[in-house]
Amino acid sequence: EAQVTQNPRYLITVTGKKLTVTCSQNMNHEYMSWYRQDPGLGLRQIYYSMNVEVTDKGDVPEGYKVSRKEKRNFPLILESPSPNQTSLYFCASSLRYGQGAFREQFFGPGTRLTVL
Amino acid sequence: SQKIEQNSEALNIQEGKTATLTCNYTNYSPAYLQWYRQDPGRGPVFLLLIRENEKEKRKERLKVTFDTTLKQSLFHITASQPADSATYLCALEKDGNKLVFGAGTILRVKS
């Protein structure tokens, strides 16, 4: 089954304790992305990756890191989490066709993170 | 500044009627626009994509229009059903490499 998986689905942690949220897709997609979703603000892009070893900042990258060592995996790293990073996080992937045009994005089930 | 605006108030309609959701944007020039459906506690699911040179796109009971002069997209669900109740998100292409999402509109279809 074609899918994007994220782990963990729920996480409660404390300020300053490093954590990683994993994301994996089995559709051979070039493009992967991380979003956070907060009430009233919608989905905001944190980082994206056009392909292996190619990553770039989205609109809200502060406090986050990513890496893309393999095509299927795109982990999100919070080196020193703070309470304002409490949010619902989604990983997504898509094919691209040509320059600048996406096919639809496939989203993972989400990770609900609480930072105390 | 750049903005994407969707109705912040929920849209309540009767089963069988047509639901119309609006997406307005400011200071963007998207090459295309997408609509997604999101159910509570789940990731968004893609519905339709419309390009800037297309006025209208249809898929079953769904129809999307895209007016680049008005900077607006309308999303219609005809013959709506309670199962259509969800949050609907519009998303614009930005800078060729990003998708920017609106905050979404909640649709409630009552039987």
Side-chain angles (χ1 to χ4, degrees), chain B residues 14-28:
Chain B
Q14 203 63 33
E15 182 176 7
K17 301 292 186 185
T18 296
T20 299
L21 287 71
T22 305
C23 177
N24 294 303
Y25 59 92
T26 312
N27 292 325
Y28 285 104

Side-chain angles (χ1 to χ4, degrees), chain B residues 20-91:
Chain B
T20 299
L21 287 71
T22 305
C23 177
N24 294 303
Y25 59 92
T26 312
N27 292 325
Y28 285 104
S29 297
Y32 59 90
L33 184 149
Q34 299 181 0
W35 283 88
Y36 289 79
R37 169 186 172 138
Q38 186 175 24
D39 292 290
R42 308 193 72 162
V45 174
F46 172 81
L47 296 174
L48 281 168
L49 179 154
I50 186 166
R51 295 182 178 81
E52 59 179 338
N53 60 350
E54 297 175 317
K55 295 294 183 194
E56 181 179 299
K57 202 84 170 276
R58 291 177 184 259
K59 179 182 174 183
E60 298 172 353
R61 293 184 296 113
L62 309 180
K63 184 178 86 171
V64 172
T65 63
F66 190 12
D67 189 324
T68 55
T69 302
L70 290 179
K71 296 188 182 295
Q72 180 182 78
S73 175
L74 299 178
F75 177 80
H76 307 272
I77 306 176
T78 58
S80 59
Q81 304 164 0
D84 295 325
S85 299
T87 297
Y88 291 86
L89 309 170
C90 71

Side-chain angles (χ1 to χ4, degrees), chain A residues 7-56:
Chain A
N7 282 293
R9 295 289 313 281
Y10 302 90
L11 180 59
I12 300 174
T13 189
V14 295
T15 298
K17 186 176 182 183
K18 181 179 178 180
L19 66 92
T20 299
V21 184
T22 64
C23 173
S24 183
Q25 51 94 4
N26 62 0
M27 295 169 280
N28 201 34
H29 286 169
E30 297 93 348
Y31 185 94
M32 296 186 74
S33 182
W34 276 102
Y35 297 89
R36 61 178 289 174
Q37 188 173 37
D38 302 288
L41 294 178
L43 284 160
R44 294 180 292 166
Q45 191 175 46
I46 303 170
Y47 269 94
Y48 65 95
S49 169
M50 304 284 284
N51 215 324
V52 176
E53 303 292 2
V54 181
T55 63
D56 208 346

